Amino acid sequence: MTTICVDVMGADKEPAVLLEGVASALESDADLKVLVAGAADAVEPFCASHDRARALVTTEVITMSEHPAQAVRKKKDASIVRAAAAVHAGEADGLFSAGSTGAVLTAATFGVGRLKGIKRPALSLPFPGVSGRPTVFLDMGANADVKPEVMVQFAHMGRAYSRAVLGVAEPRVGLLCNGSEETKGSEMALAYHAALAAGDCGFAGNAEGTDLLAGTFDVIVADGFTGNVALKSIEGTGKFVISRLKAAMGESAKNKIGMALLAGSLKGLAAELSGDQYGGAVLLGLRAPVVKGHGATSARAVCQGTLAAAAAVRANLTQKIADACEASR
């Protein structure tokens, strides 16, 4: 049995939505157990009605508006703090939370702990590709500024994820930049390029923004500032396209018929861009898999995120990242 701790507090949605996703995950995976962290009135009735669920009752919540580091230090009984501690103590093999990104990063980094030698954990998510091949993208916001040697670690972690989860034998790594030529970019981008080229990490050159959804690279790395801007740009573009299509539907009967025929495909596209099929971003570089869901998560995304955390445990992702980074030193 694989046990995943699920934090059902602190998201934009009510705990009931997250618990619906947990129930779906249990139904989908007969070898899964869950440790459900949250308020007693939410988690105890749920666990009483599900054989493979156990309650981790907590009395505090870290909200989206709170300062992450301060809240983690102050609220020792917050659900995400207790969830991370449970993983560290061996009560669970991995963690899923859709709470405050900063709080999840802080609690997981200090509670679960970093792998030996890992300087910075990184948020990663596979992007869908036009070619049909997904691209592992990191860092999506955990580290605004990183040194060149950390970027090389990101490349090794991304390759380990691509191998373990996506089955890519020899992942090709690209550096997100403003041009494909090796002379392009800021001074820091040029330093990243030089370190990656010398890092024996499958580096295949610079990747442009258009490569993120093209599937031309298996892994694309960036500092967290650049990565988060790119992520939000993709999310915003997806919302814009969907809104424009919805507006066009009301312009004529012909458009309505066309949209009705395309409805299933458009829902699939929206799900791909939202990351719901993966349940959220994986925080790579920690001693156990941690999946961070979107604050406005859906029950489906919670289900997929819980299953993704379990799959990462079973794929021995943590050890594979440790081995890859150890071999690079």
Side-chain angles (χ1 to χ4, degrees), residues 18-245:
L18 282 80
L19 290 169
E20 181 183 344
V22 174
S24 296
L26 287 168
E27 186 176 344
S28 301
D29 187 342
D31 294 320
L32 174 69
K33 289 184 177 181
V34 289
L35 179 63
V36 190
D41 60 354
V43 302
E44 288 185 333
F46 177 85
C47 293
S49 61
H50 292 81
D51 292 338
R52 287 177 281 122
R54 183 164 63 88
L56 177 61
V57 175
T58 63
T59 59
E60 295 179 300
V61 179
I62 297 177
T63 65
M64 297 288 182
S65 61
E66 291 183 86
H67 187 283
Q70 292 177 3
V72 168
R73 284 196 298 268
K74 181 181 178 181
K75 294 185 172 181
K76 300 299 183 183
D77 203 44
S79 55
I80 183 57
V81 176
R82 292 282 306 282
V87 175
H88 179 78
E91 296 179 55
D93 305 303
L95 168 63
F96 173 85
S97 176
S100 158
T101 298
V104 174
L105 294 178
T106 303
T109 300
F110 292 103
V112 176
R114 287 177 292 175
L115 286 167
K116 182 180 179 181
I118 295 296
K119 298 179 184 295
R120 301 282 185 89
L123 276 171
S124 175
L125 182 71
F127 282 166
V130 172
S131 68
R133 297 173 58 186
T135 297
V136 175
F137 182 48
L138 69 162
D139 174 27
M140 301 194 308
N143 310 277
D145 299 294
V146 296
K147 295 179 179 179
E149 60 266 29
V150 175
M151 193 66 73
V152 176
Q153 282 197 341
F154 286 176
H156 285 293
M157 292 195 296
R159 293 190 90 205
Y161 183 95
S162 183
R163 287 191 182 106
V165 177
L166 302 178
V168 180
E170 290 297 330
R172 298 172 66 253
V173 176
L175 168 67
L176 186 59
C177 197
N178 64 330
S180 60
E181 301 87 350
E182 64 180 44
T183 55
K184 284 289 184 74
S186 63
E187 289 186 11
M188 185 55 75
L190 293 173
Y192 289 155
H193 189 285
L196 288 163
D200 191 23
C201 57
F203 185 54
N206 286 346
E208 298 182 271
T210 52
D211 290 312
L212 287 169
L213 298 177
T216 49
F217 292 88
D218 301 298
V219 177
I220 294 179
V221 295
D223 60 73
F225 177 85
T226 304
N228 193 259
V229 170
L231 172 68
K232 296 298 173 59
S233 297
I234 290 172
E235 289 178 345
T237 300
K239 290 177 181 177
F240 174 81
V241 171
I242 297 297
S243 68
R244 279 291 189 265
L245 288 172

Side-chain angles (χ1 to χ4, degrees), residues 4 147 199 301 316:
I4 301 300
K147 295 179 179 179
N316 205 16

Side-chain angles (χ1 to χ4, degrees), residues 244-270:
R244 279 291 189 265
L245 288 172
K246 287 181 178 179
M249 182 175 66
E251 293 176 359
S252 69
K254 185 186 294 185
N255 285 0
K256 286 184 179 180
I257 294 172
M259 285 291 289
L261 294 173
L262 291 171
S265 297
L266 290 174
K267 285 181 180 179
L269 172 61

